[in-house]
Amino acid sequence: MLPFLAAAGHDPTDHAIPHALHESPLLKIPFGGEGTNVPALGIRDGYYEFFLTNHLMMTAVVGLLLIITGVLCSRKISIFHGEGLGRYQTRGRLSQLFETICAFIRDEVAYPNLHGLTDKYIHYIWTVFFFILFANILGVIPFGYMLQLITGNDAFSHWGGSATGNLSLTSMLALTSLIAIIFIGIRETSAKDFFNHFNPIGWDGGILMLPIALMLYVLEWLSLLVKCFVLAMRLFGTMMAGHLVLAAFVGLIFAAGEASKGMGYAVSVPVVLVATSLTLLELFVCCLQAFIFTFLTVLFIAAMATHEHDEHLDDDPHAMTDANQMDPDKIFDPSRISPAVGASHPAGA
């Protein structure tokens, strides 16, 4: 299908790859000598050329929008205005939505893994989640084609796009997660315990066990690096694939129109229906990928920063099942009252 679309002049990859927003480079640095060409790194004829691309622009827009949204929502949950319980009530639908999402990420993603360290590092976790979420959702909105339709200028067709569909951005996100894993791990467990964590058999096995210990040490470090590499590739591949599939389906209309106008109109109806369904699915994928990246980052941090697990509810002799928790008689069972409380209220008092 891709060669057929390319032959018709509509290459689906053109909608997913980064595009420069101006003709002349903002920065030109000699690199590698004359004749050196590495287009993937922006090196042409021995010079590194820096352009502002649509993905770079969308990254800046996402960061700015995230700051503005955070400031506006934080003002709606201030406890310094109002009276009574109204001081603690979040005002505004948008602020309530973000408060609900923040509470879910903290209580259902971070706390079950980080336990007492949750509030210490929850700000980084929230930032990662909302940055990826904003970038994914904004990438679905066709800003470029909207500007092209309004202005009639084809130069605006590539404005916008999904910043997380660029491997450079997802690699930097994975790198920040790697730095966070190492920094938090050393900060919470000490440098000695953190680096010893990568040797599961210890260093006291004698000279005969030393080669195995060194091999395991290298493999454990490689495992951590691969985990972060997979974080970048999963997010990049999923977002890139979604845009390629949508572009391929829409390109079928133009490809059919090259044969005849009637075929183009006939193909357009089912293609638009399928594209609409795929767009709704991609919106779900946008949220899912932000959650997966955040969840895995929390798991990797917890694996390095917490070596001793807190007591769980299963170890509590007074713990109740989910069914019993819904029964008021079980919740207020006098036998569950501690001896100190029972002693302060003797029977018949």
Side-chain angles (χ1 to χ4, degrees):
M1 181 172 64
L2 295 181
F4 177 64
L5 294 176
H10 301 280
D11 185 2
T13 60
D14 186 62
H15 300 269
I17 61 177
H19 293 272
L21 302 181
H22 47 89
E23 296 182 359
S24 301
L26 296 179
L27 187 63
K28 198 171 183 179
I29 302 175
F31 187 91
E34 186 177 356
T36 303
N37 290 285
V38 187
L41 300 179
I43 301 173
R44 297 176 180 84
D45 197 20
Y47 286 90
Y48 167 73
E49 299 178 345
F50 174 74
F51 292 87
L52 286 177
T53 65
N54 57 328
H55 289 169
L56 188 60
M57 178 194 71
M58 290 303 296
T59 302
V61 169
V62 168
L64 181 61
L65 183 60
L66 187 58
I67 293 174
I68 295 175
T69 304
V71 172
L72 293 178
C73 291
S74 64
R75 291 181 177 180
K76 297 294 185 178
I77 60 175
S78 174
I79 64 173
F80 302 104
H81 301 86
E83 298 180 357
L85 294 178
R87 299 176 58 188
Y88 305 94
Q89 183 178 3
T90 301
R91 298 174 297 279
R93 296 293 179 85
L94 181 63
S95 299
Q96 292 172 355
L97 173 62
F98 275 85
E99 183 183 37
T100 302
I101 297 175
C102 288
F104 173 78
I105 295 297
R106 180 192 180 277
D107 297 337
E108 303 298 334
V109 177
Y111 186 78
N113 298 286
L114 295 177
H115 304 290
L117 302 178
T118 300
D119 292 336
K120 200 172 183 179
Y121 302 108
I122 190 61
H123 304 92
Y124 170 74
I125 297 169
W126 280 337
T127 302
V128 169
F129 175 80
F130 283 112
F131 182 86
I132 297 176
L133 181 64
F134 277 37
N136 290 348
I137 293 179
L138 288 180
V140 178
I141 304 175
F143 292 108
Y145 296 110
M146 293 166 63
L147 290 174
Q148 181 183 0
L149 182 64
I150 295 173
T151 63
N153 189 351
D154 294 340
F156 289 111
S157 62
H158 292 299
W159 284 52
S162 177
T164 47
N166 191 310
L167 186 58
S168 299
L169 177 62
T170 59
S171 298
M172 289 307 300
L173 289 172
L175 180 61
T176 58
S177 293
L178 176 62
I179 295 174
I181 292 169
I182 297 175
F183 172 77
I184 296 174
I186 293 176
R187 184 180 183 183
E188 298 299 333
T189 64
S190 78
K192 178 181 178 181
D193 291 339
F194 175 79
F195 288 105
N196 284 337
H197 176 84
F198 292 92
N199 181 12
I201 65 174
W203 300 105
D204 54 355
I207 191 65
L208 296 178
M209 296 297 295
L210 184 60
I212 298 178
L214 290 175
M215 181 178 65
L216 290 176
Y217 192 79
V218 173
L219 290 176
E220 287 292 332
W221 270 104
L222 287 177
S223 174
L224 177 60
L225 296 177
V226 168
K227 289 176 182 177
C228 294
F229 175 75
V230 171
L231 282 179
M233 293 302 299
R234 178 188 288 108
L235 181 58
F236 160 72
T238 304
M239 300 313 300
M240 171 71 81
H243 290 286
L244 288 178
V245 170
L246 280 175
F249 271 100
V250 174
L252 285 175
I253 300 176
F254 300 98
E258 294 290 334
S260 67
K261 291 185 178 180
M263 183 178 295
Y265 285 116
V267 170
S268 63
V269 175
V271 166
V272 168
L273 294 177
V274 173
T276 302
S277 302
L278 289 177
T279 301
L280 296 176
L281 177 61
E282 190 170 4
L283 286 174
F284 169 74
V285 172
C286 289
C287 302
L288 180 63
Q289 287 303 312
F291 173 80
I292 291 176
F293 192 102
T294 306
F295 179 69
L296 292 178
T297 298
V298 171
L299 286 183
F300 299 156
I301 292 175
M304 298 298 169
T306 58
H307 297 292
E308 296 181 1
H309 298 286
D310 297 335
E311 293 183 0
H312 296 284
L313 183 63
D314 295 339
D315 301 327
D316 183 7
H318 298 291
M320 294 188 295
T321 63
D322 292 339
N324 287 338
Q325 290 181 21
M326 301 301 295
D327 188 351
D329 294 334
K330 297 288 186 179
I331 295 177
F332 298 104
D333 185 1
S335 63
R336 292 179 54 82
I337 301 177
S338 63
V341 177
S344 62
H345 299 279

